Amino acid sequence: EVQLLESGGGLVQPGGSLRLSCAASGFTFSSYAMSWVRQAPGKGLEWVSAISGSGGSTYYADSVKGRFTISRDNSKNTLYLQMNSLRAEDTAVYYCAKGGEPVGAAAGLLGYWGQGTLVTVSS
Amino acid sequence: DIQMTQSPSSLSASVGDRVTITCRASQGISNYLAWYQQKPGKVPKLLIYAASTLQSGVPSRFSGSGSGTDFTLTISSLQPEDVATYYCQKYNSALLTFGGGTKVEIK
C-alpha cells in the first residue's frame, strides 16, 4: 500500500525558513517523480514543485522559484522541500504527491497524496 | 505559461441530475488533462487522466472528454457522495497547472 507522510510544518515568521519532509513507503521510491502541491485555507490547489525519480531534474512554480528547493534521498525514501524567505502568502497545507512515472508526461499524474502538513507564516 | 480555466466555479444540482464541468487551456495540451475530486476535509483523488480514462475504482457515472484546449467532466447521475470540489490539471510538461476548481453541491 502506498503511503506518504508529510512532516515539518508549523508556525514561522515572515522571512523565515522551514524544511518539509515526506516519508514514502509501499512502492519503489526512485522509480517515480514526486511533487509538492499546496492549498491555502479555503482556496484551490496550487502546484509548487516537482522532481524526477533520479533527482536530476527539478521544476518550480514561478511563485516559489528562487526561494524553495525540492530534493529527495532515494536511500531514505524521503522527499524534501526547503522553504526560505517565507511570506504570508505561502501559508497553506502542503501535500506531497506521487507521480505516475520517473520522467515524462505521466510524471505529472498525481495518483497518491499524503495527508498534508500545515505551514503558517505569520508574525 | 499555460492557464487552466474552469467553469462554473460552483453549481448546485439535484440527485440524479446530469452535471457538466468545463476546463479550458490557454494553449493546446493534446489530451494531457486530468481531473481530481476533493471531498470536504479530504485529500484530492485522481479521477480521470488522458482526458477520458477513468482511474481504477472510479464509478462509471463519471466521464471525461475533450482534446486540445477544451475539456469536459460529466457526472451522468449526481449522487450525494459526489459533493466535492473538482479540479482539472494539465500535465503536458513538467510545469503542472491546476484549474481554479468547481464546487458541486446538492440542491
Side-chain angles (χ1 to χ4, degrees):
Chain A
E1 178 192 6
V2 172
Q3 292 194 347
L4 299 170
L5 184 61
E6 303 94 337
S7 61
L11 175 64
V12 60
Q13 292 188 340
S17 298
L18 213 54
R19 188 174 87 151
L20 305 184
S21 299
C22 172
S25 61
F27 64 101
T28 304
F29 185 64
S30 61
S31 293
Y32 295 92
M34 299 292 294
S35 278
W36 288 98
V37 177
R38 68 184 181 184
Q39 187 168 35
K43 302 298 184 181
L45 302 175
E46 180 187 14
W47 172 77
V48 172
S49 183
I51 187 167
S52 62
S54 67
S57 297
T58 58
Y59 309 91
Y60 299 94
D62 286 345
S63 58
V64 306
K65 198 177 297 182
R67 300 188 299 123
F68 290 11
T69 302
I70 191 171
S71 62
R72 64 192 296 161
D73 186 337
N74 287 344
S75 68
K76 295 183 178 179
N77 290 350
T78 303
L79 175 72
Y80 302 101
L81 186 67
Q82 177 67 44
M83 304 186 295
N84 298 332
S85 303
L86 282 161
R87 307 166 180 167
E89 53 265 35
D90 295 318
T91 294
V93 173
Y94 284 74
Y95 297 102
C96 71
K98 171 184 171 291
E101 61 185 26
V103 294
L109 275 180
L110 307 178
Y112 293 91
W113 298 60
Q115 291 300 309
T117 187
L118 176 63
V119 172
T120 303
V121 184
S122 174
S123 55
Chain B
D1 292 359
I2 297 176
Q3 308 301 316
M4 306 299 293
T5 304
Q6 283 183 240
S7 61
S9 57
S10 66
L11 65 89
S12 181
S14 299
V15 172
D17 282 355
R18 183 181 185 88
V19 168
T20 300
I21 299 167
T22 64
C23 176
R24 175 163 289 176
S26 59
Q27 297 175 38
I29 59 170
S30 185
N31 68 335
Y32 294 105
L33 191 283
W35 290 96
Y36 296 82
Q37 175 193 62
Q38 186 178 30
K39 295 184 178 182
K42 300 297 185 182
V43 170
K45 170 187 172 183
L46 176 63
L47 279 184
I48 288 172
Y49 60 95
S52 60
T53 302
L54 256 61
Q55 180 73 334
S56 177
V58 173
S60 58
R61 62 180 180 273
F62 290 91
S63 64
S65 65
S67 183
T69 60
D70 294 314
F71 303 88
T72 299
L73 172 68
T74 300
I75 308 173
S76 61
S77 176
L78 186 67
Q79 299 301 305
E81 60 266 33
D82 301 333
V83 168
T85 300
Y86 295 83
Y87 297 91
C88 63
Q89 177 225 335
K90 68 100 177 168
Y91 60 99
N92 65 316
S93 77
L95 302 180
L96 309 180
T97 307
F98 288 92
T102 297
K103 187 175 184 178
V104 175
E105 298 176 319
I106 300 291
K107 193 181 294 182

